[in-house]
Amino acid sequence: MVRALKVKLPRGNSAITYSSRYSPFAHHVLLEGPLPELSAGRTELKVRNPATGALLSTVVTASEDDVYRTVRDAQDVFKLGSWSKLPALERSATVTILARDLEEVIPDMARMESEQTGRTIREMMAQLSRIPEWLDYYAALLRTSSAFVAPTQGPLLNYVKRVPLGVVGQITPFNHPLLIAIKKIAPALATGNSVIVKPSEHAPLSVLQFAELAVQAGLPVGVLSVLPGGPETAKHLASNPLVRKVDITAGTKAGRHLGGIVGSNLSAFTAELGGKTPIVVFDDADPEAAANGAAFACFIASGQTCVSGSRLIVQKGIYDKFMSLFVAKVESIRRRMGNPLNPRSTMGSVINQRHLKRIEHMIHLERERPGKILTGGERMTGKSELDGFDFSKGSFFPPTVIEDVPVEDILWREEVFGPVVVVKQFQSEAEGVALANDCRYGLGAGIWTENLSRAHRVADAIESGLVWVNTHHRNDPSSPWGGMKDSGIGRENGMEAFEAYSQSKSTIVNIATPEETRTVQDWFAEEEEETETVGGQPAEPKRYG
């Protein structure tokens, strides 16, 4: 049975706490009967705090049958039209209500995000306080977008409007669980689609909570669903032919694999994939501002972002001064690390022990590695200087700086996805640009210079979808976000995302009189008409189509 009625739960209770156990359905609190049991392909995910190892909650993963039924129900809800055919102003109002409801629970959501990712509470409060802007932005676009009339030949009226795609699947990562999910959910909901999210198995809790918040805000049940699980769940979702678009943020390998599956269904595909962001610091940059900005670029989120400044490329004339300030800043960050829930703590853990071991392996391969570790390089144990927090209980790696790594090295070429940056000198502007582009990725890049002409010239020359000048990690709902080369395809944010979650529909209306229509559109008239002449020559025949 399709549950597509608009259900309104009591609002005003802003406290969000963990459920001891979550089901594969975001709207499980509204469904009759018990939560799904461990059978028919379902397993349990133990979601733990990577900073302490403490168990936060248990999540029941979606089986293949769960995915099939959820997609089928989402398609039925879409066809029923309780959301997809709702007037744009009503959809916009519901999305706006959801933004206000989300604002009320930001502190609770920030704590949940901090505990499931190991990131510091100060980071999560700063990040989550902005995500209602995405809902507001797309609600506003929905209210202000309009159809247009295309120019045509003859007495025809051709109007073009945007219509939703249908069921869309979204696969989101652990590093920014709620931000990245809402970046995808907001345009998809605003344009009238049914949305199914497969969050990271490492950090699904905040996305599950948000989906229930959406139902309370007035979203019809079945329009937004969440299917926790791992790669197999993502594969089942992407391979379903009823899913008309898949939007993924993940590594390049996963993006290639799922892109092939989606392509076989002739469905749309957007992918924000890996990155190896260069930060190019020129001689004319302010050394202190550049050092502070580079530290932010490299170590926010413990380096676990696709636009983390992982390759620091510094011009020779400023190198010594910059590096002295940069290493001092990095060591200061290390000294002030502590409990991620401490508002004074500077940097949190990485996502789990497995990832911690991967970072160690990439730095300490079983061979003699060129390059010099200036600071960091070993997992953290012992007690915090800041607050006595025991690092040995979690997955902590310090901010790490490695000098003179060859461009052939894995640390230069591949994504570490951790707080590790490699540093290299350059002399000329052309050499700096060449080093920045010497990578298969092209998501983000940073430039530090006080020379206006150079800033624009180098930004244009660098092969990446995002370039920051004298700043980093800045993002806005209206600003396109996406990569070049192996960093993905398509864009999040802005009008591009709004249009990518909809399709144009062209309606052509004959507005001629009946008498003219009878004559002009009788292609198979029995009597042959006299040939018209122009200047004694046959006139051009009347055109149709």
Side-chain angles (χ1 to χ4, degrees):
M1 175 181 177
V2 178
R3 296 172 175 83
L5 298 177
K6 187 177 287 189
V7 178
K8 194 74 172 177
L9 297 183
R11 296 176 58 206
N13 180 12
S14 62
I16 286 182
T17 57
Y18 293 115
S19 296
S20 60
R21 187 163 170 265
Y22 289 84
S23 83
F25 304 101
H27 48 276
H28 63 77
V29 294
L30 302 176
L31 299 178
E32 298 177 0
L35 298 181
E37 297 298 330
L38 292 179
S39 61
R42 299 188 185 108
T43 58
E44 280 188 340
L45 290 175
K46 301 292 185 182
V47 182
R48 297 184 180 276
N49 184 334
T52 65
L55 178 65
L56 300 175
S57 184
T58 299
V59 176
V60 180
T61 66
S63 67
E64 183 175 2
D65 185 59
D66 289 331
V67 176
Y68 170 79
R69 288 188 294 108
T70 301
V71 172
R72 180 199 62 200
D73 289 350
Q75 174 70 6
D76 289 345
V77 169
F78 179 79
K79 292 172 68 176
L80 190 64
S82 58
W83 181 254
S84 60
K85 297 187 183 302
L86 201 65
L89 292 182
E90 292 187 36
R91 284 208 309 269
S92 175
T94 300
V95 174
T96 300
I97 290 170
L98 178 55
R100 303 289 75 76
D101 287 356
L102 179 59
E103 283 178 340
E104 293 181 9
V105 298
I106 289 298
D108 295 324
M109 285 291 209
R111 184 182 181 93
M112 180 178 285
E113 292 267 280
S114 179
E115 289 182 336
Q116 70 176 347
T117 64
R119 291 180 59 182
T120 62
I121 191 67
R122 67 193 292 241
E123 286 184 14
M124 303 322 300
M125 279 297 297
Q127 184 178 97
L128 267 64
S129 65
R130 289 203 59 205
I131 59 177
E133 295 176 24
W134 270 260
L135 296 166
D136 285 331
Y137 174 80
Y138 285 105
L141 272 187
L142 185 57
R143 293 181 66 90
T144 55
S145 64
S146 56
F148 71 93
V149 176
T152 58
Q153 294 187 19
L156 301 173
L157 174 66
N158 182 187
Y159 62 89
V160 183
K161 61 180 181 178
R162 307 294 300 185
V163 297
L165 300 175
V167 180
V168 298
Q170 301 174 338
I171 299 165
T172 61
F174 69 80
N175 54 334
H176 309 291
L178 195 56
L179 171 65
I180 292 179
I182 290 181
K183 283 172 69 175
K184 300 178 189 301
I185 290 169
L189 286 183
T191 46
N193 298 283
S194 292
V195 183
I196 301 173
V197 184
K198 203 296 286 182
S200 167
E201 61 270 36
H202 304 301
L205 304 181
S206 54
V207 180
L208 283 160
Q209 290 286 174
F210 173 77
E212 292 187 0
L213 194 70
V215 175
Q216 295 179 38
L219 198 70
V221 174
V223 173
L224 175 60
S225 300
V226 179
L227 295 175
E232 284 302 306
T233 306
K235 180 181 177 181
H236 296 323
L237 180 61
S239 61
N240 192 303
L242 292 177
V243 176
R244 301 314 306 149
K245 176 181 172 67
V246 173
D247 189 338
I248 178 175
T249 297
T252 298
K253 182 179 179 181
R256 286 185 185 278
H257 176 65
L258 289 178
I261 295 173
V262 175
S264 67
N265 287 331
L266 298 180
S267 297
F269 187 57
T270 297
E272 195 255 77
L273 305 176
K276 195 69 180 174
T277 298
I279 307 294
V280 186
V281 181
F282 287 96
D283 284 345
D284 55 26
D286 179 84
E288 185 175 358
N292 292 340
F296 175 68
C298 298
F299 303 118
I300 196 74
S302 300
Q304 296 172 118
T305 78
C306 295
V307 292
S308 177
S310 53
R311 293 184 296 143
L312 195 49
I313 302 166
V314 185
Q315 200 163 19
K316 184 177 180 180
I318 198 177
Y319 188 85
D320 291 340
K321 177 65 173 176
F322 171 85
M323 288 302 296
S324 175
L325 292 168
F326 181 69
V327 171
K329 175 63 69 174
V330 172
E331 292 175 344
S332 172
I333 293 171
R334 164 64 183 84
R335 287 193 303 272
R336 291 177 292 125
M337 289 175 64
N339 186 339
L341 294 178
N342 183 342
R344 296 174 58 203
S345 181
T346 50
M347 195 180 88
S349 72
V350 297
I351 191 61
N352 53 36
Q353 287 287 320
R354 180 181 178 183
H355 191 53
L356 180 65
K357 291 176 182 177
R358 177 182 177 274
I359 294 170
E360 288 181 312
H361 178 70
M362 291 185 73
I363 293 176
H364 304 290
L365 290 173
E366 295 178 0
R367 61 180 174 81
E368 185 177 344
R369 173 187 292 284
K372 178 182 178 183
I373 296 177
L374 301 182
T375 185
E378 301 288 345
R379 71 168 64 194
M380 297 173 66
T381 58
K383 300 295 182 66
S384 164
E385 297 178 39
L386 175 70
D387 55 16
F389 183 80
D390 187 355
F391 292 123
S392 63
K393 293 182 179 179
S395 303
F396 286 87
F397 201 84
T400 297
V401 182
I402 306 176
E403 193 177 40
D404 292 331
V405 171
V407 295
E408 299 82 14
D409 196 282
I410 189 173
L411 289 178
W412 178 271
R413 310 205 72 82
E414 296 300 328
E415 192 172 34
V416 178
F417 220 65
V420 179
V421 58
V422 294
V423 189
K424 184 171 286 294
Q425 285 191 49
F426 72 95
Q427 294 194 10
S428 68
E429 178 182 306
E431 183 186 3
V433 171
L435 285 170
N437 288 337
D438 186 17
C439 183
R440 67 189 180 101
Y441 298 108
L443 183 56
I447 301 167
W448 288 85
T449 178
E450 293 300 311
N451 184 311
L452 180 63
S453 297
R454 170 178 282 156
H456 289 288
R457 185 170 61 247
V458 173
D460 188 61
I462 288 180
E463 299 165 349
S464 67
L466 295 148
V467 180
W468 289 281
V469 178
N470 296 334
T471 188
H472 206 86
H473 282 295
R474 303 304 181 187
N475 191 211
D476 190 87
S478 63
S479 179
W481 181 284
M484 299 178 178
K485 301 191 284 190
D486 280 8
S487 287
I489 184 171
R491 294 294 181 266
E492 295 180 335
N493 295 348
M495 283 295 300
E496 287 181 83
F498 189 79
E499 293 187 350
Y501 274 105
S502 61
Q503 54 195 329
S504 62
K505 182 172 183 177
S506 180
T507 302
I508 303 170
V509 182
N510 173 32
I511 58 173
T513 65
E515 293 78 13
E516 184 181 1
T517 300
R518 284 196 297 270
T519 301
V520 173
Q521 298 206 32
D522 189 1
W523 179 266
F524 297 104
E526 293 184 6
E527 295 182 5
E528 185 175 345
E529 297 181 3
E530 294 182 5
T531 303
E532 296 181 12
T533 61
V534 177
Q537 299 296 323
E540 287 290 327
K542 294 179 179 179
R543 297 181 180 181
Y544 295 85

